[in-house]
Amino acid sequence: MNQAKVTVTLKSDSGRIKISVWASSIEEAKEKVLRDQNAPLSAILSAKVERPSIWDIKRLTAESSPYFFSRSTLRFFRQKVSDFSVYRNGPDSFVIAANSRGGNVTKRIFNPFTRTLEQPA
């Protein structure tokens, strides 16, 4: 299964600690950090996937969506990869968006664990 880099924030006696781990889900990341730090579940303050760049997303979705960032598709919509912005959509997904020809906005939801681009609901 694919893994993503997850940052888990823990509460400790000396303050807050941020630990980054590679995991297949946020729950797995929490378990790894708790096991490594020998901490109780109540010590977790937050856990979220680190925000990838649009270039990372292009590379990670090359198999699942090979045509989305292809040269011909981008040319048709008069876009460049650098036109896309990445926004957080909860702790484990991201929205990518860019203006396209005709004033429309191209939007997709990127899931870093499945490495897929999905249509927004």
Side-chain angles (χ1 to χ4, degrees), residues 26 47-49 87-95:
I26 289 184
K48 59 185 178 180
V49 177
Y87 305 99
R88 185 168 294 282
N89 186 39
D92 62 350
S93 66
F94 301 90
V95 173

Side-chain angles (χ1 to χ4, degrees), residues 74-93:
L74 292 172
R75 188 178 311 128
F76 178 80
F77 289 104
R78 296 183 187 151
Q79 295 173 324
K80 298 179 284 191
V81 175
S82 60
D83 292 339
F84 284 85
S85 299
V86 180
Y87 305 99
R88 185 168 294 282
N89 186 39
D92 62 350
S93 66

Side-chain angles (χ1 to χ4, degrees), residues 4-110:
K5 194 171 186 181
V6 179
T7 300
V8 179
T9 305
L10 294 175
K11 177 177 52 177
S12 71
D13 295 337
S14 59
R16 292 180 180 205
I17 303 170
K18 287 188 177 187
I19 301 171
S20 294
V21 295
W22 288 91
S24 300
S25 69
I26 289 184
E27 292 305 315
E28 180 185 339
K30 288 178 183 178
E31 289 173 13
K32 282 183 174 182
V33 169
L34 291 176
R35 198 173 332 117
D36 182 57
Q37 297 295 312
N38 196 22
L41 183 61
S42 60
I44 294 180
L45 296 175
S46 68
K48 59 185 178 180
V49 177
E50 290 190 13
R51 187 175 71 85
S53 70
I54 192 63
W55 298 101
D56 292 334
I57 292 172
K58 178 183 178 188
R59 181 178 48 81
L60 293 171
T61 60
E63 279 188 35
S64 64
S65 302
Y67 302 109
F68 189 81
F69 289 111
S70 73
R71 187 175 251 184
S72 60
T73 301
L74 292 172
R75 188 178 311 128
F76 178 80
F77 289 104
R78 296 183 187 151
Q79 295 173 324
K80 298 179 284 191
V81 175
S82 60
D83 292 339
F84 284 85
S85 299
V86 180
Y87 305 99
R88 185 168 294 282
N89 186 39
D92 62 350
S93 66
F94 301 90
V95 173
I96 62 169
N99 290 328
S100 66
R101 162 164 70 175
N104 296 325
V105 176
T106 302
K107 279 188 182 179
R108 293 293 183 276
I109 297 175
F110 171 66

